[in-house]
Amino acid sequence: MQKFTYYTPTQVVFGKETELEAGKLIKKYGGTKALIVYGGGSVVRSGLLNRVKDALSESGVAFAEWGGVKPNPRLSHAQAGAEYAISEKVDFVLAVGGGSTIDTAKGIAHGAANPGTDLWDIWTKKVPLEKSLPVGIILTISAAGSEMSDSAVLTNEEIGKKSRLGTVLNRPQFAIMNPELTYTLPKYQIACGIADIMMHTLERYFIPNQHNRMTDEIAEGLLRTVIDNGRIAVNDGADYDAMSEIMWCGSLSHNDLTGLGRVKDFSVHKFGHALSAKFDVAHGASLTTIWGDWANYVYENDPERFQHYGKAVWGIETEDVKAAAREAIERTVSYFKEIGMPTCLSELGVGILDEETLKKLSLDATMGGTIELSHIRKLNVQDVYQIFCMANH
Ligand code: NZQ
Ligand code: ZN
């Protein structure tokens, strides 16, 4: 194992009706007035927002509201939210929603604690982030894992760039997880979430020098759990047991547990962020569009690893190493198709792309060609372009 620090300070409160504890938890973490952040209206329609407001009032916690977060959340909306938070003198930010809402709430918390600072300067590390407001979460979709992660992802719509900020200040104070709150999700969003959870695990799994059995066993168990329960969930999004398993897998897949003692990869996420910034497509779908072609491009540098994955996760017993590796990739891609996820650009709904667009995407994914992606096989901007071309059908 390589050196590591495991620090996941978020208090998890899991189970039915736990959203009613929101006010109590905000007070526990020092909040007296919260900004409730939410998305495009699902929490209004389901009645959740009103229940949360009642819970806050009963605990004597004042609040203001900041709705309208869009998927692939915009920097400008978070910036405006921060200014509103300052004007309302809130001392706590409560996200009620999914990754987009949570990441906006994190951005608002950073902006509100640093008045006069441009959020993009924080995102690009031009201004070091030293303080933030405390953030709490009521999760409504199992996917991004932002409820326990040290990340927040915002899109700077002015320059068309989707970018991640990693900092310990992104770790929420608490995360309320009631699987019943996910029952209103459309099937497509459930599947996007399953894909993202798998990808957070796979992006930590296909890396060199994996001398770390415990981390492998956790990752493989998580993948088997989310794959089995994902099949149930896309057919019945109100199956409590399946939605519970997926919800917990989502948090564990991205709170560092599945990658302890090793480097991270996250190259498929870079392809995905370039696609989402350009076409505003759902995050999970952007990843399944690329993963199969990425895997086919890199696996020959470490077919044993893919064989190991195939055996542990899909039960593949094929002895020929390369054949087993290819079978593992095929099984994963078939699963994405089975749950209704795209596995190429036309299925993603962006059509067949021209050469210029593919080149631009490749530059976006590699910070203008300045970084290499992946560890198993280093990918420069030309390699990234080749993979985009492989997915271009
Ligand atoms: O906006 P509303 O009306 O709430 O609708 C949302 C949205 O349209 C809907 N939804 C959420 N919960 C619902 C619901 N609809 C009905 N019932 C419910 N219970 O689902 C749609 C998608 O919501 P979103 O928050 O965008 O989903 P997700 O959790 O997948 O978040 C995706 C974002 O998180 C980022 C992604 O890049 C993307 O921007 N990520 C954040 C990470 C992090 N901070 O650690 C890591 C991830 O890798 C990812 O990059
Ligand atoms: Zn992700």
Side-chain angles (χ1 to χ4, degrees), residues 38-43 45-46 68-73 96-103 106 139-147 149-155 162 164 180-186 189 192-193 196 200 254 266 269 273 276 282-284 287:
Y38 58 94
S42 70
V43 300
R45 291 189 293 280
S46 67
V69 176
K70 292 185 181 143
N72 298 315
V96 187
S100 297
T101 293
I102 299 169
D103 291 355
K106 291 176 178 179
L139 189 64
T140 65
I141 171 172
S142 311
S146 185
E147 65 277 6
S149 83
D150 70 350
S151 297
V153 185
L154 291 177
T155 298
K162 187 170 179 186
R164 166 188 177 268
E180 288 187 330
L181 301 181
T182 64
Y183 286 2
T184 47
L185 278 167
Q189 288 298 339
C192 281
D196 197 18
H200 293 154
H254 203 40
F266 276 75
H269 270 67
H273 288 340
S276 286
H283 173 63
L287 305 176

Side-chain angles (χ1 to χ4, degrees), residues 119-181:
L119 264 189
W120 194 241
D121 286 343
I122 293 176
W123 243 251
T124 52
K125 306 234 158 116
K126 205 168 136 194
V127 173
L129 182 67
E130 279 157 9
K131 57 182 189 305
S132 187
L133 292 189
V135 173
I137 312 297
I138 299 178
L139 189 64
T140 65
I141 171 172
S142 311
S146 185
E147 65 277 6
M148 288 184 85
S149 83
D150 70 350
S151 297
V153 185
L154 291 177
T155 298
N156 182 335
E157 62 273 43
E158 276 178 24
I159 56 169
K161 194 166 165 35
K162 187 170 179 186
S163 183
R164 166 188 177 268
L165 173 72
T167 161
V168 71
L169 292 171
N170 274 333
R171 303 266 191 201
Q173 252 51 46
F174 65 81
I176 289 175
M177 297 187 216
N178 173 359
E180 288 187 330
L181 301 181

